[in-house]
Structures are given as structure tokens and as C-alpha cells.
Amino acid sequence: MDIVTAITGASGALYAQRFIQGLVAAGVNVHLVVSPLGRRLLHDELGMEAVDLPAMAGTREHGVTLYNYNDVGAKLASGSFLHDGMVIVPCSSNTLAEVAHGLGDNLISRAAAVTLKERRKLVLVHREMPLSPIDVNNYKALSDAGVVLCPANPGFYLNPTTVGEIVDFVAGKLLDLVGVKHAYDTRWDPKNVRPPGAVV
């Protein structure tokens, strides 16, 4: 499989990292684009001075290819490049608006526009809250166009006790959405009930 993955400047670098690690563990070819503010995000939240592919992949042996954000002539910008879906994680409101209005002046928005044009799966992991009225209108336009809007809202029915478990829930949901098998704990089990009065 080939999955296009983009990182923009909304908070949530851990979601992107664990999603990419899940793709790599499944043997997926990852085509990665990071916006300038996405690079700032990786620095601020993961301490990366530059995009560290082994750290993002969780291993030195990986199938992650990094593309230049400004290269709108890259193969990701062409409908002739066949892939199995695109995920923008995290997705800023700025990128949300670019995709909703068909802009394509950078490789992330251009690849998203092509993904829509070719009727391939596009998943946006919007991280902003609360939503502005403009965000809501953009959600509607994107949903009407067939985009899967997957805000990074973790479920708590698995009774997580660490931040990592919460992150894995969201990353696992994204892997499910693009049809990639994983071992992250995301499945509802009615037997997994916390005793009354228990506190995390």
C-alpha cells in the first residue's frame, strides 16, 4: 500500500508519529509532506530540529519518503500517481480551508485536491477547538465532497491510563480508516469496565 501523509501546524505531533509508526509496522509506503508550521510543530512537541524520519517511523528501516512542501511538481501532485489514500494529521484550520476551497499552491493542498479529483480517500484530522463558523462551513463543504473528517477526539471506553494509550486510540482509528491492520488497542470490549469509583 501507498499512503500519502501530511503534517501541518495544528497541535498533535504525537498523533502523526504514531500513525506513521503504524503504517511502517504494516509495511506501507509512506509519502510524507510537512508544512513549515508542521516542522515547527515537530520541533515544539517532539524536540526535532529537522524532520527525523527514523524517529517518526520508529525504526531506521522504513518506507517513508519525505517530499518538499513547495514542490507542486512532485509526483504526489499528479493524478497519475496511484495511492491508497491521504491523511492530513494534524490538520490546521488554514489547511482545512485550503482543501475546502480547492487551493493548490503547496504540495499538501495540491495532493489533497488531486486525491479528491481522483475520488480517493482523504482523511483530515482537524485539531482546532472550538470551531469557528468558517470551520463549520468548511466542514460542510469537505463532507459534501466526500472527505472523511476525523477530529482527534479519543474515546475513553478503553479506560486509558496514559497519554500514549489515548494517542494510540486516535492513531488506530486513522489506520482503520485507510484499511491498514494494526495492533493498537482501539476495540470496544464490554468486559473492559472500570470498577465503580475508580480514578485514573
Side-chain angles (χ1 to χ4, degrees):
M1 292 182 71
D2 290 87
I3 298 292
V4 179
T5 304
I7 299 172
T8 67
S11 182
L14 278 173
Y15 294 128
Q17 184 179 47
R18 288 299 281 156
F19 174 64
I20 292 169
Q21 288 175 357
L23 294 176
V24 169
V28 173
N29 297 313
V30 182
H31 304 271
L32 178 64
V33 188
V34 184
S35 74
L37 290 176
R39 288 175 179 267
R40 168 79 182 266
L41 172 76
L42 295 178
H43 175 269
D44 290 350
E45 296 190 359
L46 297 180
M48 293 183 184
E49 295 299 326
V51 180
D52 185 338
L53 294 184
M56 293 302 292
T59 177
R60 290 206 161 282
E61 303 297 322
H62 58 77
V64 182
T65 303
L66 181 64
Y67 296 78
N68 186 320
Y69 172 78
N70 293 309
D71 186 7
V72 293
K75 67 181 181 180
L76 305 185
S78 172
S80 66
F81 172 64
L82 300 178
H83 63 79
D84 300 284
M86 178 175 180
V87 177
I88 304 178
V89 54
C91 179
S92 65
S93 286
N94 184 66
T95 301
L96 187 87
E98 288 179 354
V99 177
H101 295 279
L103 303 180
D105 60 353
N106 62 69
L107 188 54
I108 293 175
S109 59
R110 174 63 182 164
V114 169
T115 298
L116 281 174
K117 174 176 73 76
E118 299 294 327
R119 305 298 193 267
R120 300 190 183 113
K121 181 166 280 189
L122 177 60
V123 180
L124 302 187
V125 187
H126 191 231
R127 236 293 302 142
E128 304 299 340
M129 60 83 85
L131 300 178
S132 75
I134 294 170
D135 290 331
V136 172
N137 287 334
N138 287 336
Y139 267 47
K140 178 66 166 61
L142 290 163
S143 183
D144 288 347
V147 174
V148 178
L149 293 157
C150 184
N153 298 329
F156 290 91
Y157 52 76
L158 297 178
N159 297 313
T161 58
T162 68
V163 171
E165 290 173 343
I166 294 171
V167 170
D168 282 359
F169 181 93
V170 173
K173 184 67 175 178
L174 298 177
L175 293 165
D176 288 344
L177 287 172
V178 292
V180 174
K181 293 184 179 180
H182 61 87
Y184 296 163
D185 192 5
T186 60
R187 308 293 171 221
W188 161 246
D189 182 352
K191 296 176 184 175
N192 187 22
V193 178
R194 188 172 299 282
V199 178
V200 175

